[in-house]
Amino acid sequence: MAGPSSGHAQVNRRGWSTARIALVLYPFAAGAAAVNVFFASLIGSWVGGPVLSSALSLTLGCVIGAPATLAFARHIRRLMDRADGTNAADVTNAADGPNGTNKATS
């Protein structure tokens, strides 16, 4: 466990969690994905493909929107951490001194 006596930096994350960011952004991502799926089907109709119904476009948008939202939420969380100075690389190397020497052992 990392504590003040162990020589490791304590990480305090401020702001929203990745899951909370994803839940808030999901309706927007699913809607954007649905619109893109529908427009892609319209373009596909130029070469003989079917035009998707609104319901099918929304369904596919909800499916495609989930992983896209999670990836974007992780990206936003990393940016928030970097802005707060709690970057994962900073936390990993917090016990290291200059030239990669460990402060706790030197």
Side-chain angles (χ1 to χ4, degrees), residues 8-103:
H8 297 286
Q10 182 68 29
V11 179
N12 292 322
R13 292 179 91 183
R14 297 184 338 186
W16 289 8
S17 68
T18 301
R20 188 172 182 185
I21 295 169
L23 286 174
V24 170
L25 293 178
Y26 178 72
F28 300 104
V35 169
N36 286 333
V37 165
F38 182 72
F39 283 134
S41 75
L42 288 177
I43 292 171
S45 71
W46 297 346
V47 292
V51 175
L52 299 180
S53 67
S54 299
L56 186 55
S57 295
L58 282 172
T59 302
L60 288 173
C62 289
V63 171
I64 295 170
T69 302
L70 187 57
F72 188 66
R74 286 179 181 162
H75 173 68
I76 294 298
R77 183 68 246 181
R78 278 192 300 267
L79 291 176
M80 290 169 64
D81 289 343
R82 203 159 89 193
D84 286 341
T86 56
N87 191 356
D90 294 340
V91 173
T92 303
N93 299 323
D96 293 340
N99 303 325
T101 59
N102 193 327
K103 291 178 191 175

